[in-house]
Amino acid sequence: MRTRILAVLGAMLLIGGSVLTAVLVKGAERHVVKPEIPGTPYIDVISPRDGSKPRVNAVVVKVKVHNFQLAPAQFGKAPQLGEGSLRFSLNKVPESADESQIERANSPLGSGRVIGRSFDFPRFSGPNGILAHRLGTENKYSPATQPQIYYHNLPTGLFRLIIVLAQNDGTPTPYHAVTHFRIE
């Protein structure tokens, strides 16, 4: 009788531990919005995660691109189906923005955006900023043929980073990702 109670108690603890582990692991996953239609391109922001607070005034942005091929050798050439580059656009949310404006700012294409100072210049985005200067896109976006970019010398405040898939000739596609982070 005692052995049976201990066995049942042990089984309950084992099941409870498994459920708790599953809940904790599921909660720790990044929120990635996958498209409803298979094969549709999308971007998974690896870092910085939405809402993160880097401890320094620099961020290494890393993304994973799905169903779209980055084509460095074709950069600036004629568009090809399913290939191209990335457009990173980093803006500081103005200090004067109130909470309701920041809530409406979640859509990168919506009319409710609160656009602040751009950090897509050589002094902030390095080689990608130099390329932006050459292409005439500085202060708008930093082009990239690799799934990462390094921003440095950032002031304190809330930042919005928009990553857009672009065709080989730089024309933006509707596929994008948005992340926010705060430098303190």
Side-chain angles (χ1 to χ4, degrees), residues 1-176:
M1 179 75 163
R2 187 176 211 177
T3 307
R4 187 178 291 174
I5 292 174
L6 287 175
V8 169
L9 194 62
M12 288 176 60
L13 285 173
L14 183 63
I15 292 170
S18 298
V19 169
L20 181 62
T21 301
V23 168
L24 290 176
V25 168
K26 184 69 174 171
E29 290 178 359
R30 287 187 317 278
H31 177 69
V32 178
V33 179
K34 294 184 180 177
E36 294 179 15
I37 302 170
T40 301
Y42 67 98
I43 302 167
D44 180 8
V45 180
I46 307 298
S47 71
R49 289 186 179 185
D50 199 39
S52 68
K53 296 179 181 178
R55 298 178 191 257
V56 294
N57 66 342
V59 269
V60 176
V61 179
K62 292 185 179 183
V63 300
K64 185 169 184 183
V65 178
H66 301 269
N67 303 320
F68 190 86
Q69 183 70 39
L70 295 179
Q74 301 302 316
F75 186 77
K77 296 184 180 173
Q80 298 293 320
L81 186 62
E83 71 175 34
S85 61
L86 293 164
R87 295 170 68 163
F88 290 95
S89 179
L90 180 66
N91 291 86
K92 185 173 187 237
V93 176
E95 300 294 334
S96 62
D98 63 26
E99 196 62 37
S100 65
Q101 288 175 311
I102 293 172
E103 283 296 318
R104 288 191 312 265
N106 287 333
S107 169
L109 303 175
S111 61
R113 289 193 302 163
V114 180
I115 300 175
R117 177 180 168 201
S118 173
F119 287 85
D120 293 297
F121 292 96
R123 68 180 179 269
F124 300 112
S125 59
N128 299 87
I130 292 169
L131 182 58
H133 178 74
R134 275 194 232 145
L135 297 174
T137 64
E138 70 180 343
N139 195 31
K140 296 177 187 142
Y141 66 87
S142 294
T145 57
Q146 299 298 316
Q148 61 190 22
I149 189 171
Y150 176 68
Y151 286 100
H152 58 284
N153 299 325
L154 300 175
T156 59
L158 178 64
F159 290 85
R160 177 184 309 104
L161 176 66
I162 302 171
I163 305 111
V164 178
L165 294 177
Q167 296 177 1
N168 291 331
D169 65 356
T171 305
T173 69
Y175 310 110
H176 64 275

